[in-house]
Amino acid sequence: NNVDLNRNFCDWAADAPKNYMYRASHDLLVSKPGLWKLVKLLWFRYRHGDDGIWTAISRGQYEYPDGLFYGGDQIQPEYRIVQKIYDDVMADEGAKSLLSVGLHTGLGDYKIPAILVSHPTGHANVEKFTEIFAPDIEITPDEKGAVNAAELSGDLVDWLEARYANRHIPILTADLEIGTGTSWISPVLKRMDQGDAVWDVVHRGAVSAKTKHHLSESWAPRDKKWRQCSLWVADVFAEKLHKYMEKNL
């Protein structure tokens, strides 16, 4: 349904979050690919800064089904599946903690995987992930975690921490980010090929080969070294986590 599932974990009893910055940029983001679009993106960044771009794009939006990072207009089936999985695990009153790590590509420098924790340096979650995975895998705290949590709509990490807060046990959440690079325009302005694909479909009836190539390279590059690095980090992650669980369970 073109719903970004990592923007769908909202409090659907309340009104969907409003993203006015995305509203101001939607027509631009899904406009015709080319130099003129690039110039306009540069101008948007100049006017609103990196924080404005981040809010417009990464925060998520709930008004434009054909837009980027669309969080939907209702709970998706996958939301209920994920909720049941975690609720079944947490139904065990003897549970000592909940550790959940999402696997992502797209954010971060090319071929430099890191575990991104949505809390600042010194937070218990940052320290725990450092204990388990460092120094083999870089641990990256979010120094603006308190701000970003409020700004990021429908994110699974924040949803889990809020849902099980009353259990009074550690809720350890993070994202393993395997970077594919960021645009030279701005470190937070990731490639806008999704918007290019929307334009292609509307005006050409299909996504162009060039846009398909850009999309695949943005999220799953064919570069052999990148894939080898990604698999190596996945192996290290699984091994370190297994050792931690054997020791603590």
Side-chain angles (χ1 to χ4, degrees):
N1 300 326
N2 192 39
V3 173
D4 183 338
L5 298 175
N6 206 37
R7 299 294 178 271
N8 191 241
F9 289 91
C10 300
D11 176 10
W12 287 102
D15 292 336
K18 297 290 190 297
N19 189 340
Y20 298 105
M21 192 62 73
Y22 181 85
R23 184 184 295 175
S25 62
H26 171 74
D27 289 342
L28 169 59
L29 294 172
V30 299
S31 63
K32 183 178 181 179
L35 180 60
W36 186 233
K37 179 176 183 176
L38 179 62
V39 170
K40 288 185 175 181
L41 283 169
L42 285 168
W43 176 246
F44 187 87
R45 182 220 177 180
Y46 173 78
R47 289 188 62 195
H48 300 289
D50 285 348
D51 284 347
I53 291 172
W54 187 93
T55 300
I57 298 168
S58 293
R59 179 182 174 184
Q61 54 85 20
Y62 300 84
E63 295 183 76
Y64 301 87
D66 64 335
L68 278 59
F69 296 94
Y70 174 60
D73 60 1
Q74 60 183 323
I75 291 176
Q76 297 298 299
E78 294 86 351
Y79 176 117
R80 299 193 187 281
I81 292 170
V82 169
Q83 179 179 331
K84 184 178 187 308
I85 290 170
Y86 282 101
D87 281 351
D88 286 349
V89 171
M90 297 299 281
D92 180 2
E93 292 298 328
K96 300 176 182 178
S97 64
L98 172 67
L99 189 150
S100 175
V101 179
L103 176 63
H104 294 251
T105 63
L107 178 64
D109 295 331
Y110 192 62
K111 293 189 294 189
I112 304 180
I115 293 178
L116 177 63
V117 185
S118 298
H119 295 283
T121 301
H123 189 278
N125 285 23
V126 176
E127 294 180 352
K128 179 57 70 173
F129 279 103
T130 300
E131 173 193 334
I132 300 172
F133 297 105
D136 300 272
I137 303 177
E138 178 184 346
I139 308 300
T140 304
D142 182 358
E143 304 303 346
K144 296 171 63 178
V147 175
N148 289 341
E151 288 293 323
L152 191 58
S153 303
D155 177 62
L156 176 62
V157 164
D158 298 317
W159 180 83
L160 287 172
E161 293 192 5
R163 182 170 183 79
Y164 303 117
N166 64 343
R167 287 295 304 272
H168 305 297
I169 60 176
I171 308 297
L172 307 167
T173 60
D175 291 322
L176 178 56
E177 297 281 358
I178 302 178
T180 58
T182 52
S183 169
W184 60 269
I185 300 173
S186 163
V188 294
L189 181 54
K190 290 172 284 190
R191 297 173 185 173
M192 293 298 98
D193 308 304
Q194 296 167 81
D196 294 350
V198 170
W199 190 91
D200 283 347
V201 169
V202 172
H203 296 276
R204 295 172 176 158
V207 179
S208 69
K210 181 178 180 180
T211 300
K212 281 184 180 179
H213 174 73
H214 287 170
L215 277 168
S216 64
E217 291 301 300
S218 293
W219 305 108
R222 289 174 290 180
D223 181 271
K224 288 184 178 179
K225 289 184 178 180
W226 182 87
R227 296 196 170 197
Q228 289 172 353
C229 179
S230 302
L231 289 171
W232 176 80
V233 169
D235 284 343
V236 171
F237 175 85
E239 180 182 354
K240 301 277 278 191
L241 182 59
H242 180 67
K243 287 182 179 179
Y244 172 77
M245 293 177 69
E246 278 192 324
K247 180 180 178 181
N248 291 275
L249 296 180

